[in-house]
């Protein structure tokens, strides 16, 4: 079966040792350190922006079928994995919406971090809010 | 350098031959067909939900450095690639926020599609809106 391969464009750097379960409840600060060859692509990211950071849950063990239904830590009931943000998922891809504090050279200083130090970053995109049709 | 490998959890199915440039300006309907082994993970997705679909821009050519700055089709100026939703990016990972019309067995019927027929799906997550702290 076809596989798709991705190389990190950078890594998370943070001194935080414990992290909130999700970016939406985090005020942790840290850095996204981008490989110098991709630095030109950061040109239009600036303080105050919200960015979507796509990363790899690199510490997650291989997925097993009993994880198709899970109990999220903040709920008292179970959910299908695709309705959770669990790091245990068929493809261990994570997504955080972070607030940009500053961009200097190849380093984006961010707030709302929920990723461990050393987390490999796969992509960065602008955050675009969902609006109902016609708005 | 470390690579991360992902296998599709499913594929897009649509009869649409031309697609809008972005989900935020799309009203195209289609289906996300999930591999039967992952069907239990769809349990809590229901009509009316918004879902984040992470996919592979499988038709994009290999990335080349001149694409670090690009002119998006709807703008008259250039942008750093990480401030665009271009399919030409260091890792060809795409993200769409889709509206769920219906879920039946292993098929999610969706609206707002901006992906071609056959696009490999890597992950589905709940859409969580960014809210300023304290809200």
């Amino acid at each position: 079966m076809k596989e798709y391969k991705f190389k990190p464009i950078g890594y998370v750097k943070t001194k935080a040792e414990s992290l909130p379960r999700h970016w939406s409840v985090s005020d942790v600060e840290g850095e996204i350190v981008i490989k110098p060859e991709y630095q030109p692509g950061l040109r239009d990211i600036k303080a105050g922006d919200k960015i979507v950071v796509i990363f790899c849950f690199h510490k997650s063990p291989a997925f097993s079928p009993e994880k198709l239904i899970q109990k999220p830590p903040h709920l008292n009931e179970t959910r299908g994995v695709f309705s959770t943000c669990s790091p245990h998922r068929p493809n261990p891809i994570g997504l955080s919406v972070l607030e940009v504090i500053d961009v200097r050279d190849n380093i984006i200083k961010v707030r709302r971090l929920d990723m461990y130090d050393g987390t490999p970053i796969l992509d960065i995109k602008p955050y675009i809010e969902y609006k109902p049709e016609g708005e």
Side-chain angles (χ1 to χ4, degrees), chain A:
Chain A
M1 190 211 297
K2 182 109 181 99
E3 277 186 339
Y4 294 91
K5 297 177 191 173
F6 302 111
K7 289 182 185 171
I9 59 165
Y11 296 88
V12 171
K13 198 170 158 187
T14 177
K15 288 175 183 155
E17 286 178 12
S18 74
L19 285 150
R21 63 169 178 83
H22 196 257
W23 58 266
S24 59
V25 294
S26 171
D27 59 3
V28 172
E29 296 186 4
E31 294 175 343
I32 309 283
V33 181
I34 297 298
K35 291 180 181 170
E37 71 241 51
Y38 297 127
Q39 185 180 324
L42 300 179
R43 194 190 70 185
D44 297 291
I45 299 178
K46 56 189 188 311
D49 284 356
K50 298 160 205 159
I51 53 173
V52 174
V53 178
I54 296 177
F55 60 94
C56 186
F57 287 115
H58 64 308
K59 295 189 177 185
S60 292
F63 187 75
S64 59
E66 78 264 18
K67 293 280 184 187
L68 285 164
I69 303 288
Q70 297 182 36
K71 196 196 81 57
H74 62 303
L75 294 179
N76 283 323
E77 49 188 31
T78 59
R79 287 274 188 280
V81 65
F82 300 119
S83 296
T84 78
C85 298
S86 170
H88 304 288
R89 42 204 318 117
N91 287 311
I93 297 174
L95 181 164
S96 299
V97 183
L98 304 181
E99 182 190 339
V100 176
I101 300 173
D102 190 28
V103 186
R104 201 155 296 191
D105 300 329
N106 64 323
I107 297 174
I108 312 174
K109 197 175 171 194
V110 291
R111 187 178 291 128
R112 299 210 158 199
L113 209 60
D114 60 353
M115 297 113 91
Y116 292 111
D117 187 58
T119 295
I121 304 298
L122 300 177
D123 198 8
I124 298 174
K125 297 179 187 294
Y127 172 76
I128 295 169
E129 201 177 324
Y130 183 98
K131 290 182 184 167
E133 283 163 279
E135 253 190 35

